[in-house]
Coordinates of all heavy atoms in Angstrom, one line a residue:
E226 N 46.4 77.1 78.9 CA 47.0 77.3 77.7 C 48.1 78.3 77.9 O 47.9 79.3 78.5 CB 46.0 77.8 76.6 CG 46.6 78.1 75.3 CD 47.2 77.0 74.6 OE1 46.4 76.2 74.1 OE2 48.4 77.0 74.6
Y227 N 49.3 78.0 77.3 CA 50.4 78.9 77.3 C 50.1 79.9 76.2 O 49.9 79.5 75.0 CB 51.7 78.1 77.0 CG 52.3 77.5 78.2 CD1 51.8 76.3 78.8 CD2 53.6 77.9 78.7 CE1 52.3 75.6 79.9 CE2 54.2 77.2 79.8 CZ 53.6 76.2 80.3 OH 54.1 75.4 81.5
P228 N 50.1 81.1 76.5 CA 49.8 82.2 75.5 C 51.1 82.0 74.4 O 52.1 81.6 74.7 CB 50.1 83.5 76.2 CG 49.8 83.2 77.6 CD 50.3 81.7 77.9
D229 N 50.8 82.5 73.3 CA 51.7 82.3 72.1 C 53.2 83.0 72.5 O 54.2 82.5 72.1 CB 51.2 83.1 70.9 CG 50.0 82.3 70.3 OD1 49.8 81.1 70.7 OD2 49.4 82.9 69.5
F230 N 53.1 84.2 73.2 CA 54.3 84.9 73.6 C 55.2 84.1 74.5 O 56.3 84.1 74.4 CB 54.1 86.3 74.0 CG 53.3 86.5 75.3 CD1 53.9 86.5 76.5 CD2 51.9 86.6 75.3 CE1 53.3 86.6 77.7 CE2 51.2 86.7 76.4 CZ 51.9 86.7 77.7
V231 N 54.5 83.3 75.4 CA 55.2 82.4 76.3 C 55.9 81.4 75.6 O 57.1 81.0 75.9 CB 54.4 82.0 77.5 CG1 55.1 80.9 78.3 CG2 53.8 83.1 78.3
A232 N 55.1 80.7 74.7 CA 55.7 79.5 73.8 C 56.9 80.0 73.0 O 57.9 79.4 72.9 CB 54.5 78.9 73.0
R233 N 56.7 81.3 72.4 CA 57.7 81.9 71.6 C 59.1 82.0 72.3 O 60.2 81.7 71.7 CB 57.2 83.2 71.2 CG 58.3 84.0 70.2 CD 57.7 85.3 69.9 NE 58.7 86.0 69.0 CZ 58.6 87.3 68.8 NH1 57.4 88.0 69.1 NH2 59.4 87.9 67.9
F234 N 59.0 82.3 73.6 CA 60.4 82.6 74.3 C 60.7 81.4 75.3 O 61.7 81.6 76.0 CB 60.3 84.0 75.0 CG 60.1 85.1 74.1 CD1 58.9 85.8 74.3 CD2 61.0 85.4 73.2 CE1 58.7 87.1 73.4 CE2 60.8 86.6 72.3 CZ 59.7 87.4 72.5
Y235 N 60.0 80.4 75.3 CA 60.1 79.4 76.3 C 61.5 78.8 76.2 O 62.2 78.7 77.2 CB 59.1 78.2 76.0 CG 59.1 77.3 77.1 CD1 58.2 77.4 78.2 CD2 59.9 76.2 77.0 CE1 58.2 76.4 79.3 CE2 59.8 75.3 78.2 CZ 59.0 75.5 79.1 OH 59.0 74.4 80.1
D236 N 62.0 78.4 75.1 CA 63.2 77.8 75.0 C 64.4 78.6 75.4 O 65.3 78.2 76.2 CB 63.6 77.3 73.5 CG 62.6 76.2 73.0 OD1 62.1 75.4 73.8 OD2 62.6 76.0 71.8
I237 N 64.4 79.9 75.0 CA 65.6 80.8 75.5 C 65.6 81.0 76.9 O 66.6 81.0 77.6 CB 65.7 82.1 74.6 CG1 66.9 82.9 74.9 CG2 64.3 82.9 74.9 CD1 67.1 84.1 74.0
V238 N 64.4 81.2 77.5 CA 64.3 81.4 79.0 C 64.7 80.1 79.8 O 65.5 80.2 80.7 CB 62.8 81.9 79.3 CG1 62.7 81.9 80.9 CG2 62.6 83.2 78.7
Y239 N 64.1 79.0 79.5 CA 64.4 77.9 80.2 C 65.7 77.1 80.0 O 66.1 76.3 80.7 CB 63.2 76.9 80.2 CG 61.9 77.5 81.0 CD1 61.0 78.1 80.2 CD2 61.9 77.4 82.3 CE1 59.9 78.7 81.0 CE2 61.0 78.0 83.1 CZ 59.9 78.5 82.4 OH 58.8 79.1 83.0
K240 N 66.3 77.5 78.8 CA 67.7 77.0 78.7 C 68.6 77.5 79.7 O 69.6 76.9 80.2 CB 68.2 77.4 77.3 CG 69.6 76.8 77.0 CD 70.0 77.3 75.6 CE 71.4 76.8 75.3 NZ 72.0 77.1 74.0
K241 N 68.3 78.8 80.2 CA 69.2 79.4 81.2 C 68.6 79.0 82.7 O 69.4 78.6 83.5 CB 69.0 80.9 81.1 CG 69.8 81.6 82.3 CD 69.7 83.1 82.0 CE 70.5 83.8 83.2 NZ 70.4 85.3 83.1
V242 N 67.3 79.0 83.0 CA 66.8 78.9 84.3 C 66.5 77.4 84.6 O 66.4 77.1 85.9 CB 65.6 79.8 84.5 CG1 65.8 81.3 84.2 CG2 64.3 79.3 83.7
R243 N 66.5 76.6 83.8 CA 66.1 75.2 84.2 C 67.0 74.0 83.6 O 67.2 73.1 84.4 CB 64.6 74.9 83.8 CG 64.1 73.7 84.3 CD 63.8 73.7 85.7 NE 63.3 72.4 86.2 CZ 63.2 72.1 87.6 NH1 63.3 73.1 88.3 NH2 62.8 71.0 88.0
S244 N 67.3 74.1 82.4 CA 68.0 72.9 81.8 C 69.2 72.3 82.6 O 69.3 71.1 82.6 CB 68.6 73.2 80.4 OG 67.4 73.5 79.5
G245 N 70.0 73.1 83.2 CA 71.0 72.5 84.1 C 70.6 71.9 85.3 O 71.4 71.2 86.0
V246 N 69.3 72.0 85.7 CA 68.8 71.4 87.0 C 68.5 70.0 86.8 O 68.8 69.1 87.6 CB 67.6 72.2 87.4 CG1 67.0 71.6 88.8 CG2 68.0 73.8 87.8
D247 N 67.6 69.6 85.8 CA 67.1 68.4 85.8 C 67.3 67.6 84.5 O 67.0 66.4 84.4 CB 65.5 68.5 86.0 CG 64.9 69.4 84.8 OD1 65.6 69.9 83.9 OD2 63.6 69.5 84.8
T248 N 68.0 68.1 83.6 CA 68.2 67.5 82.2 C 69.0 66.1 82.3 O 68.5 65.2 81.7 CB 69.0 68.5 81.3 OG1 68.3 69.7 81.2 CG2 69.1 67.8 79.9
E249 N 70.0 66.1 83.0 CA 70.8 64.9 83.1 C 70.0 63.8 83.6 O 70.0 62.5 83.3 CB 72.1 65.1 84.0 CG 72.9 63.8 84.0 CD 74.2 64.1 84.8 OE1 74.4 65.2 85.3 OE2 75.0 63.1 84.9
Y250 N 69.2 64.0 84.8 CA 68.4 63.0 85.4 C 67.4 62.4 84.5 O 67.3 61.2 84.3 CB 67.7 63.7 86.6 CG 66.8 62.6 87.3 CD1 67.3 61.7 88.2 CD2 65.5 62.7 87.2 CE1 66.4 60.8 88.9 CE2 64.6 61.7 87.8 CZ 65.3 60.8 88.7 OH 64.3 60.0 89.4
F251 N 66.5 63.2 83.9 CA 65.5 62.7 83.0 C 66.1 62.1 81.8 O 65.5 61.0 81.3 CB 64.4 63.8 82.7 CG 63.5 64.0 83.9 CD1 63.6 65.1 84.6 CD2 62.5 63.0 84.3 CE1 62.6 65.4 85.6 CE2 61.7 63.2 85.2 CZ 61.6 64.4 86.0
M252 N 67.0 62.7 81.2 CA 67.6 62.0 80.0 C 68.3 60.7 80.4 O 68.1 59.7 79.5 CB 68.7 63.0 79.5 CG 68.1 64.2 78.7 SD 67.1 63.8 77.3 CE 68.2 63.0 76.2
N253 N 68.9 60.5 81.4 CA 69.4 59.2 81.9 C 68.1 58.1 82.1 O 68.3 57.0 81.6 CB 70.1 59.3 83.2 CG 71.5 59.8 83.0 OD1 72.0 60.0 81.8 ND2 72.2 60.3 84.0
K254 N 67.1 58.6 82.6 CA 65.8 57.7 82.8 C 65.4 57.4 81.3 O 65.0 56.1 81.2 CB 64.8 58.4 83.6 CG 65.2 58.7 85.0 CD 65.5 57.3 85.9 CE 65.9 57.6 87.3 NZ 66.2 56.5 88.0
I255 N 65.2 58.4 80.4 CA 64.8 58.1 79.1 C 65.6 57.1 78.4 O 65.2 56.1 77.8 CB 64.5 59.4 78.4 CG1 63.5 60.2 78.9 CG2 64.3 59.1 76.9 CD1 63.5 61.7 78.5
L256 N 66.9 57.4 78.3 CA 67.9 56.7 77.5 C 68.1 55.3 78.1 O 68.6 54.3 77.5 CB 69.1 57.4 77.3 CG 68.9 58.7 76.6 CD1 70.3 59.4 76.4 CD2 68.3 58.4 75.1
G257 N 67.9 55.1 79.4 CA 68.0 53.9 80.0 C 66.7 52.9 80.0 O 66.7 51.8 80.5
T258 N 65.7 53.3 79.1 CA 64.5 52.5 79.0 C 64.4 52.0 77.6 O 64.6 52.7 76.7 CB 63.2 53.5 79.2 OG1 63.3 54.0 80.5 CG2 62.0 52.8 79.0
R259 N 64.3 50.6 77.6 CA 64.3 50.0 76.2 C 63.0 50.2 75.4 O 63.0 50.1 74.3 CB 64.6 48.5 76.5 CG 66.0 48.2 76.9 CD 66.3 46.7 77.0 NE 67.6 46.3 77.4 CZ 68.1 45.1 77.5 NH1 67.3 44.1 77.2 NH2 69.4 44.9 77.8
G260 N 61.9 50.2 76.2 CA 60.6 50.3 75.7 C 60.2 51.7 75.3 O 61.0 52.6 75.1
K261 N 58.9 51.9 75.2 CA 58.2 53.2 74.8 C 58.2 54.2 76.0 O 58.0 53.7 77.2 CB 56.9 53.0 74.2 CG 56.9 52.1 72.9 CD 55.6 52.0 72.2 CE 55.6 51.1 71.1 NZ 56.4 51.7 70.0
I262 N 58.3 55.4 75.7 CA 58.4 56.5 76.8 C 57.3 57.5 76.4 O 57.2 57.8 75.2 CB 59.8 57.1 76.8 CG1 60.9 56.1 77.2 CG2 59.9 58.1 78.0 CD1 61.8 55.9 76.1
L263 N 56.8 58.0 77.4 CA 55.8 59.1 77.2 C 56.2 60.2 78.1 O 56.4 60.1 79.3 CB 54.4 58.7 77.7 CG 53.2 59.8 77.5 CD1 53.1 60.3 76.1 CD2 51.9 59.4 78.1
E264 N 56.4 61.4 77.6 CA 56.6 62.6 78.4 C 55.3 63.4 78.4 O 54.7 64.0 77.3 CB 57.7 63.5 77.6 CG 58.0 64.7 78.5 CD 59.1 65.6 77.9 OE1 59.7 65.3 76.9 OE2 59.2 66.7 78.4
I265 N 54.8 63.6 79.6 CA 53.5 64.5 79.9 C 54.1 65.9 80.1 O 55.0 66.0 80.8 CB 52.8 63.9 81.1 CG1 52.2 62.5 80.7 CG2 51.6 64.9 81.4 CD1 51.6 62.0 82.0
G266 N 53.5 66.8 79.4 CA 54.0 68.2 79.3 C 55.2 68.3 78.5 O 56.2 68.9 79.0
V267 N 55.1 67.8 77.3 CA 56.3 67.7 76.5 C 56.7 69.1 76.0 O 57.9 69.3 75.8 CB 56.1 66.8 75.2 CG1 54.9 67.4 74.3 CG2 57.3 66.6 74.4
G268 N 55.8 70.0 75.9 CA 56.2 71.4 75.8 C 56.7 71.7 74.4 O 56.3 71.2 73.4
T269 N 57.9 72.4 74.3 CA 58.6 72.6 73.1 C 59.7 71.6 72.8 O 60.5 71.8 71.9 CB 59.1 74.1 73.0 OG1 60.2 74.2 74.2 CG2 58.0 75.1 73.2
G270 N 59.8 70.5 73.7 CA 60.7 69.5 73.4 C 62.0 69.6 74.1 O 63.0 69.1 73.5
R271 N 62.1 70.2 75.3 CA 63.3 70.3 76.0 C 64.1 69.1 76.1 O 65.3 68.8 76.0 CB 63.1 71.0 77.3 CG 64.3 71.5 78.1 CD 63.9 72.4 79.1 NE 63.2 71.8 80.2 CZ 63.6 71.2 81.3 NH1 64.9 71.3 81.5 NH2 62.8 70.8 82.3
F272 N 63.4 67.8 76.4 CA 63.9 66.5 76.5 C 63.7 65.8 75.2 O 64.5 65.1 74.7 CB 63.4 65.9 77.6 CG 63.6 66.4 79.0 CD1 62.5 66.8 79.7 CD2 64.8 66.5 79.6 CE1 62.7 67.4 81.0 CE2 65.1 67.1 80.7 CZ 64.0 67.6 81.6
F273 N 62.5 66.0 74.7 CA 62.1 65.1 73.5 C 63.0 65.1 72.3 O 63.2 64.1 71.8 CB 60.6 65.7 73.2 CG 59.8 64.8 72.2 CD1 59.0 63.8 72.6 CD2 60.0 65.1 70.8 CE1 58.4 63.1 71.6 CE2 59.4 64.3 69.9 CZ 58.5 63.2 70.3
I274 N 63.3 66.3 71.9 CA 64.1 66.4 70.7 C 65.4 65.6 70.8 O 65.8 64.9 70.0 CB 64.4 68.0 70.3 CG1 63.1 68.6 70.0 CG2 65.4 68.0 69.2 CD1 62.4 68.1 68.7
D275 N 66.1 65.8 71.8 CA 67.4 65.3 72.0 C 67.4 63.6 72.3 O 68.0 62.8 71.7 CB 68.1 65.9 73.3 CG 69.6 65.4 73.5 OD1 70.2 65.0 72.3 OD2 70.2 65.4 74.5
A276 N 66.2 63.3 72.9 CA 65.9 61.9 73.3 C 65.7 61.0 72.0 O 66.1 60.0 71.7 CB 64.9 61.7 74.3
L277 N 64.8 61.8 71.1 CA 64.4 61.1 69.8 C 65.6 61.0 69.0 O 65.9 59.9 68.3 CB 63.4 62.0 69.2 CG 62.7 61.4 68.0 CD1 62.0 60.1 68.2 CD2 61.9 62.5 67.2
A278 N 66.5 62.1 68.9 CA 67.8 62.0 68.2 C 68.7 60.9 68.6 O 69.5 60.4 67.7 CB 68.4 63.4 68.2
K279 N 68.6 60.6 69.9 CA 69.5 59.5 70.4 C 68.9 58.2 70.3 O 69.4 57.2 70.9 CB 69.9 59.9 71.8 CG 70.9 61.1 71.9 CD 71.2 61.6 73.3 CE 72.2 62.7 73.3 NZ 72.5 63.1 74.7
G280 N 67.7 58.1 69.7 CA 67.1 56.7 69.5 C 66.1 56.3 70.5 O 65.6 55.2 70.4
A281 N 65.6 57.2 71.3 CA 64.6 56.9 72.3 C 63.2 56.7 71.5 O 63.0 57.5 70.6 CB 64.4 57.8 73.3
D282 N 62.5 55.7 71.9 CA 61.2 55.5 71.3 C 60.2 56.3 72.1 O 59.4 55.7 72.9 CB 60.7 54.0 71.3 CG 59.5 53.8 70.5 OD1 59.0 54.7 69.9 OD2 59.0 52.6 70.5
I283 N 60.3 57.6 72.0 CA 59.5 58.6 72.8 C 58.3 59.3 72.2 O 58.3 59.5 70.9 CB 60.5 59.7 73.4 CG1 59.8 60.5 74.5 CG2 61.1 60.5 72.3 CD1 60.9 61.2 75.3
Y284 N 57.3 59.5 73.0 CA 56.1 60.1 72.6 C 55.8 61.4 73.5 O 56.4 61.3 74.6 CB 54.9 59.2 72.5 CG 55.0 57.9 71.7 CD1 55.9 57.0 71.9 CD2 54.4 58.0 70.4 CE1 56.0 56.0 71.0 CE2 54.5 57.0 69.6 CZ 55.3 55.9 69.9 OH 55.5 54.9 68.9
G285 N 55.0 62.2 73.2 CA 54.8 63.4 74.0 C 53.4 63.8 73.9 O 52.7 63.8 72.8
I286 N 52.8 64.5 75.0 CA 51.5 65.1 75.1 C 51.7 66.4 75.9 O 52.4 66.5 76.9 CB 50.6 64.1 75.7 CG1 49.0 64.7 75.5 CG2 50.8 63.7 77.1 CD1 47.9 63.7 75.9
D287 N 50.9 67.3 75.4 CA 50.8 68.6 76.2 C 49.5 69.2 76.0 O 48.9 69.1 74.9 CB 52.0 69.6 75.7 CG 52.3 70.6 76.7 OD1 51.3 71.5 76.8 OD2 53.4 70.6 77.2
I288 N 48.9 69.8 77.0 CA 47.7 70.4 76.9 C 47.6 71.7 76.2 O 46.5 72.3 75.7 CB 47.1 70.7 78.4 CG1 45.6 70.7 78.3 CG2 47.8 72.0 79.0 CD1 45.0 70.6 79.7
S289 N 48.9 72.3 76.0 CA 49.0 73.6 75.3 C 49.2 73.6 73.8 O 50.3 73.0 73.4 CB 50.1 74.4 75.9 OG 50.4 75.7 75.3
Q290 N 48.3 74.0 73.1 CA 48.5 73.9 71.6 C 49.6 74.9 71.0 O 50.4 74.5 70.2 CB 47.2 74.3 70.9 CG 47.2 74.2 69.3 CD 47.5 72.8 68.8 OE1 46.6 71.9 69.4 NE2 48.5 72.5 68.0
S291 N 49.8 76.0 71.7 CA 50.8 76.9 71.3 C 52.2 76.2 71.6 O 53.2 76.4 70.7 CB 50.7 78.2 72.1 OG 50.9 78.0 73.5
M292 N 52.4 75.4 72.6 CA 53.7 74.8 72.8 C 53.9 73.6 71.8 O 55.0 73.5 71.3 CB 53.7 74.2 74.3 CG 53.5 75.3 75.4 SD 55.2 76.3 75.5 CE 56.0 75.3 76.6
I293 N 52.8 72.9 71.5 CA 52.9 71.8 70.6 C 53.3 72.3 69.2 O 54.1 71.8 68.4 CB 51.7 71.0 70.5 CG1 51.5 70.2 71.7 CG2 51.6 70.0 69.2 CD1 52.5 69.0 72.0
D294 N 52.7 73.6 68.9 CA 53.0 74.2 67.6 C 54.5 74.5 67.4 O 55.0 74.2 66.3 CB 52.1 75.5 67.4 CG 50.6 75.1 67.2 OD1 50.3 74.1 66.8 OD2 49.9 76.1 67.2
V295 N 55.1 74.9 68.5 CA 56.6 75.2 68.5 C 57.3 73.9 68.2 O 58.1 74.0 67.5 CB 57.1 76.1 69.7 CG1 58.5 76.1 69.7 CG2 56.2 77.4 69.8
L296 N 56.8 73.0 69.0 CA 57.6 71.6 68.8 C 57.4 71.0 67.5 O 58.6 70.4 66.9 CB 57.0 70.6 69.9 CG 57.5 69.2 69.9 CD1 59.0 69.1 70.0 CD2 56.9 68.3 71.0
K297 N 56.4 71.2 66.8 CA 56.2 70.6 65.5 C 57.2 71.2 64.5 O 57.7 70.5 63.5 CB 54.8 70.8 65.0 CG 53.8 69.7 65.6 CD 52.5 69.9 65.0 CE 51.5 68.9 65.5 NZ 50.1 69.0 64.9
T298 N 57.6 72.6 64.8 CA 58.5 73.1 63.8 C 59.9 72.6 63.9 O 60.7 72.7 63.1 CB 58.6 74.7 64.1 OG1 59.1 74.9 65.3 CG2 57.2 75.4 64.1
K299 N 60.2 71.9 65.0 CA 61.4 71.2 65.1 C 61.5 69.8 64.7 O 62.6 69.1 64.7 CB 61.9 71.2 66.7 CG 61.9 72.6 67.3 CD 62.1 72.5 68.8 CE 62.0 73.9 69.6 NZ 62.2 73.6 71.0
L300 N 60.3 69.2 64.4 CA 60.3 67.7 64.0 C 60.0 67.7 62.5 O 59.3 68.4 61.9 CB 59.1 67.1 64.8 CG 59.2 66.9 66.3 CD1 57.9 66.4 66.9 CD2 60.3 65.9 66.6
S301 N 60.5 66.5 62.1 CA 60.2 66.1 60.7 C 58.8 65.7 60.6 O 58.2 65.2 61.5 CB 61.1 65.1 60.1 OG 61.0 63.9 60.9
P302 N 58.0 65.9 59.5 CA 56.7 65.5 59.4 C 56.4 64.1 59.8 O 55.3 63.7 60.4 CB 56.2 65.8 57.9 CG 57.1 66.9 57.6 CD 58.4 66.6 58.3
E303 N 57.3 63.1 59.5 CA 57.0 61.7 59.9 C 57.0 61.4 61.2 O 56.7 60.3 61.6 CB 58.1 60.9 59.1 CG 59.6 61.2 59.4 CD 60.2 62.1 58.4 OE1 59.5 62.9 57.8 OE2 61.5 61.9 58.3
N304 N 57.5 62.4 62.2 CA 57.5 62.2 63.5 C 56.4 62.9 64.3 O 56.2 62.9 65.5 CB 58.9 62.6 64.1 CG 59.9 61.6 64.0 OD1 59.6 60.4 64.2 ND2 61.1 61.9 63.5
H305 N 55.6 63.6 63.5 CA 54.5 64.4 64.1 C 53.5 63.4 64.8 O 52.8 63.9 65.7 CB 53.7 65.2 63.1 CG 54.5 66.4 62.8 ND1 53.9 67.5 61.9 CD2 55.7 66.9 63.1 CE1 54.9 68.4 61.7 NE2 55.9 68.1 62.4
Y306 N 53.4 62.2 64.4 CA 52.6 61.2 65.1 C 52.8 61.0 66.5 O 52.0 60.5 67.3 CB 52.4 59.9 64.2 CG 53.7 59.1 64.5 CD1 53.6 57.9 65.6 CD2 54.7 59.2 63.8 CE1 54.6 57.1 65.6 CE2 55.9 58.3 64.0 CZ 55.8 57.4 64.9 OH 56.8 56.5 65.1
R307 N 54.1 61.3 66.9 CA 54.6 61.1 68.2 C 54.1 62.0 69.3 O 54.2 61.9 70.5 CB 56.1 61.1 68.3 CG 56.7 59.8 67.5 CD 58.2 59.9 67.6 NE 58.7 58.8 66.9 CZ 59.0 57.6 67.6 NH1 58.7 57.4 68.9 NH2 59.6 56.5 67.0
I308 N 53.5 63.1 68.9 CA 53.1 64.1 69.8 C 51.6 64.4 69.7 O 51.1 64.4 68.4 CB 54.0 65.4 69.6 CG1 53.8 66.0 68.2 CG2 55.4 65.3 70.0 CD1 54.5 67.3 68.1
K309 N 50.9 64.7 70.6 CA 49.4 65.1 70.8 C 49.2 66.2 71.6 O 50.0 66.5 72.7 CB 48.7 63.8 71.2 CG 48.7 62.6 70.2 CD 47.8 61.6 70.8 CE 47.5 60.4 69.8 NZ 46.9 60.9 68.6
T310 N 48.2 67.0 71.3 CA 47.5 68.0 72.2 C 46.5 67.3 73.0 O 45.6 66.9 72.4 CB 47.1 69.1 71.3 OG1 48.1 69.7 70.5 CG2 46.7 70.3 72.4
G311 N 46.7 67.4 74.3 CA 45.6 66.9 75.1 C 45.9 66.9 76.5 O 47.0 67.3 77.0
D312 N 44.9 66.4 77.3 CA 44.9 66.5 78.9 C 45.4 65.0 79.3 O 44.7 64.1 79.0 CB 43.7 66.9 79.4 CG 43.7 67.1 80.9 OD1 44.5 66.5 81.6 OD2 42.7 67.9 81.4
A313 N 46.4 65.0 80.1 CA 46.8 63.6 80.6 C 45.9 63.0 81.4 O 45.9 61.8 81.7 CB 48.3 63.7 81.3
G314 N 45.0 63.9 82.0 CA 44.0 63.2 83.0 C 42.9 62.5 82.2 O 42.2 61.7 82.9
N315 N 42.7 62.7 80.9 CA 41.7 61.9 80.3 C 42.3 61.3 78.8 O 41.5 61.0 77.9 CB 40.4 62.7 80.0 CG 40.6 64.1 79.3 OD1 41.5 64.2 78.3 ND2 39.9 65.2 79.7

Side-chain angles (χ1 to χ4, degrees):
E226 174 63 72
Y227 281 68
D229 289 345
F230 62 91
V231 175
R233 177 184 180 186
F234 298 120
Y235 188 90
D236 287 344
I237 188 172
V238 172
Y239 286 101
K240 183 177 181 180
K241 177 179 178 181
V242 305
R243 188 66 187 178
S244 288
V246 177
D247 58 359
T248 303
E249 183 177 0
Y250 177 78
F251 280 110
M252 286 300 297
N253 284 341
K254 296 296 183 184
I255 291 167
L256 299 178
T258 300
R259 291 186 178 182
K261 297 182 184 299
I262 303 117
L263 175 66
E264 181 181 355
I265 295 172
V267 66
T269 61
R271 190 164 63 97
F272 299 118
F273 185 92
I274 294 295
D275 192 27
L277 189 62
K279 290 179 177 177
D282 191 5
I283 190 167
Y284 297 76
I286 188 168
D287 200 289
I288 203 165
S289 172
Q290 185 63 52
S291 63
M292 299 289 272
I293 290 292
D294 288 344
V295 173
L296 176 53
K297 282 184 174 179
T298 67
K299 304 176 185 179
L300 288 173
S301 59
E303 59 265 28
N304 279 316
H305 283 189
Y306 77 95
R307 292 181 174 273
I308 56 174
K309 288 185 177 294
T310 304
D312 187 337
N315 55 35

